[in-house]
Amino acid sequence: MTAASLLRAAPDAVATAARRVMARCEELARVSADTASIERVYLSPEHARVNRLAAEWMRELGMRTWQDAAGNQVGRIGDPAAPALMLGSHLDTVLDAGRYDGIAGVLIALEVVRLLRVPSGDDGWTVPLPFAIEVVAFSDEEGTRFGKALLGSSAVAGTWNDAWWDLADADGVSLRRAFLEFGLDPGRVGEAARRPDELVGYLEAHIEQGPELDRAGEPLAVVSSIASARRFQLVVEGEARHAGGTPYDMRRDALLGASEAALAVERICSAEHHIVGTVGRFEAFPGAVNVIPGEVQFSLDLRGEFDGERDRVWDALARDLDDIMGRRGLRWRAREVHSAAAVFCAPLLQDVVAGGIRATLPTRSEAPPVIFSRAGHDGMALGAIADVGMLFLRNPDGVSHHPDEAVSAGDVAHGIRALAEAVLLRGTEPA
Ligand code: GLV
Ligand code: MN
Ligand code: MN
């Protein structure tokens, strides 16, 4: 089957597949720890429930399924001895999440398998490709529970760090204990790791989580790279004193210094091309109405297209913080809690994704949009062992990590077609 013939053969099948993706996103949204919002974190009962559902949907496609040693749900179809093209995304969520971040990518991958599989006698189903296909529903991309993102995909990439075992959730439950309570053996996490020679590459479809495609009136884009990121926990120290009795010339108000710092993040980052900085957590101590804040703790999430640019911005920010705190008689310190280098999508996989998009919209003359992802993705971890490629779907208004997150069934249909075509195109290249 050629790419073009798949498109012509299956318009109704693709529309049905898109409707199934939308319905299953709703079904998975109901698997939540909270009745009023969507919340599904690593190693929770909800994680186990969505893995069971995903496994059922994988088996319905003739896939062999297993839950790996880090709680990722995997399905495989095709020659058991061949390397696999891995497709997937994640099923965990942030708090008060939307329905599509990660989830749509897993379900789109399953529909791609459905479109490509053919009956193969006694063996059940196969795919007309020189490699097997695996679909992985990664167990922890967001890092919501333990504060460390990409736990599931890091295990698959073989980059698990034993220092993570003592990370604790908000209730003080360690990652090690959560593994045991989920029925996983911490001593066997290494068994989730895959070797580079087992994989042909990793392809992921994901909503954009930003407004570029919506603004451009385009349904799909090729992703060129995934942002480089650093996260810090900052502390500003001043002096807690009486709110009434302390004149202004004696105040060392940590909240005012930290507020200036948050504004400096906006000023410095917005003056740069492709750099974004966010202060997402901000807490004043002792936190009483009649006490000048003596300490503020806040977070900084810094992202950019290139590592060097991101680091230069952090250095500029640090100089600004020295000035601000010096002027106000405050002290500050920062602890780096996360650092991830930019991951560049492989040129071959960018080409097949572009080819997939062009086949989906055969009338377009110009090349499809190419954008870099400011959001993090499982591909950041997978890049250690495989070529990575990504396809973005338009995300109306760019709202994500929020219950209003959206994608249209029409764009999901385009995404399914484009990813199926990209897989077929990859099949025409050497493994
Ligand atoms: C994950 O979605 C992130 O980009 O923080
Ligand atoms: Mn995601
Ligand atoms: Mn996310």
Side-chain angles (χ1 to χ4, degrees):
M1 192 181 329
T2 66
S5 71
L6 174 81
L7 258 185
R8 277 196 297 271
D12 293 346
V14 173
T16 306
R19 281 197 294 277
R20 189 181 298 109
V21 167
M22 300 306 278
R24 286 179 170 178
C25 285
E26 290 300 323
E27 184 171 351
L28 292 176
R30 289 193 289 275
V31 185
S32 171
D34 182 48
T35 47
S37 68
I38 302 173
E39 175 185 329
R40 198 165 54 245
V41 301
Y42 191 33
L43 304 173
S44 61
E46 298 73 41
H47 170 189
R49 279 175 61 198
V50 293
N51 273 13
R52 280 197 295 275
L53 274 171
E56 231 174 77
W57 295 337
M58 288 167 172
R59 282 194 291 271
E60 164 192 310
L61 296 172
M63 303 183 94
R64 182 168 73 79
T65 64
W66 67 96
Q67 180 179 272
D68 77 11
N72 300 298
Q73 180 60 49
V74 191
R76 180 179 171 110
I77 190 166
D79 180 352
L85 178 64
M86 190 181 269
L87 310 177
S89 194
H90 59 98
L91 293 183
D92 67 311
T93 72
V94 293
L95 302 181
D96 201 11
R99 293 160 161 66
Y100 306 103
D101 172 3
I103 294 120
V106 174
L107 299 176
I108 286 172
L110 290 179
E111 295 308 321
V112 167
V113 170
R114 190 188 306 274
L115 282 181
L116 297 184
R117 74 198 183 131
V118 291
S120 69
D122 293 344
D123 296 340
W125 298 87
T126 186
V127 285
L129 292 163
F131 41 73
I133 293 187
E134 290 187 16
V135 175
V136 185
F138 287 105
S139 53
D140 175 83
E141 186 269 358
E142 303 286 6
T144 307
R145 180 166 178 190
F146 294 101
K148 169 79 193 82
L150 302 171
L151 288 171
S153 38
S154 296
V156 172
T159 53
W160 189 273
N161 183 338
D162 283 334
W164 299 339
W165 288 120
D166 295 324
L167 292 172
D169 69 8
D171 298 322
V173 177
S174 70
L175 179 55
R176 182 188 306 279
R177 201 174 113 203
F179 251 63
L180 292 166
E181 287 175 359
F182 192 79
L184 293 171
D185 179 351
R188 299 180 69 170
V189 70
E191 293 175 17
R194 307 297 295 270
R195 293 189 318 273
D197 61 296
E198 291 178 278
L199 299 175
V200 170
Y202 173 69
L203 270 180
E204 173 169 350
H206 202 287
I207 58 166
E208 183 201 333
Q209 303 183 279
E212 281 189 50
L213 287 177
D214 198 30
R215 286 179 180 166
E218 295 275 357
L220 303 173
V222 180
V223 177
S224 55
S225 68
I226 309 174
S228 131
R230 288 175 80 175
R231 289 187 190 150
F232 300 89
Q233 185 59 39
L234 292 102
V235 179
V236 174
E237 282 176 352
E239 189 183 22
R241 289 177 71 137
H242 198 288
T246 314
Y248 273 109
D249 64 357
M250 289 183 72
R251 289 179 183 230
R252 293 195 296 120
D253 185 329
L255 180 66
L256 295 179
S259 303
E260 254 198 76
L263 290 170
V265 169
E266 182 192 43
R267 176 169 39 78
I268 292 174
C269 294
S270 63
E272 298 283 335
H273 185 58
H274 281 176
I275 293 278
V276 281
T278 303
V279 175
R281 256 192 239 132
F282 200 93
E283 212 177 347
F285 299 93
V289 287
N290 55 356
V291 182
I292 295 164
E295 180 173 311
V296 169
Q297 297 180 6
F298 63 104
S299 62
L300 171 64
D301 174 299
L302 196 60
R303 302 179 191 217
E305 187 167 11
F306 302 105
D307 302 349
E309 203 180 4
R310 171 206 67 180
D311 294 344
R312 193 173 45 69
V313 165
W314 167 247
D315 293 343
L317 256 170
R319 284 194 297 276
D320 232 67
L321 263 63
D322 282 340
D323 282 356
I324 294 166
M325 305 311 162
R327 205 170 4 88
R328 290 181 169 276
L330 304 167
R331 283 190 305 274
W332 75 280
R333 60 181 187 275
R335 186 166 61 89
E336 185 158 6
V337 290
H338 172 71
S339 172
V343 168
F344 292 85
C345 293
L348 173 62
L349 293 184
Q350 289 193 52
D351 285 352
V352 301
V353 171
I357 296 174
R358 263 198 302 271
T360 305
L361 306 166
T363 53
R364 67 172 306 133
S365 49
E366 75 281 22
V370 179
I371 55 187
F372 99 94
S373 172
R374 290 180 177 80
H377 298 289
D378 293 297
M380 296 172 86
L382 270 294
I385 52 163
D387 279 358
V388 171
M390 285 193 77
L391 166 74
F392 266 178
L393 279 70
R394 171 166 47 195
N395 172 201
D397 192 37
V399 63
S400 182
H401 284 184
H402 186 276
D404 291 346
E405 184 176 271
V407 66
S408 73
D411 286 352
V412 168
H414 288 315
I416 293 168
R417 281 185 183 151
L419 190 65
E421 300 287 5
V423 170
L424 288 172
L425 285 169
R426 180 62 189 84
T428 64
E429 302 288 338

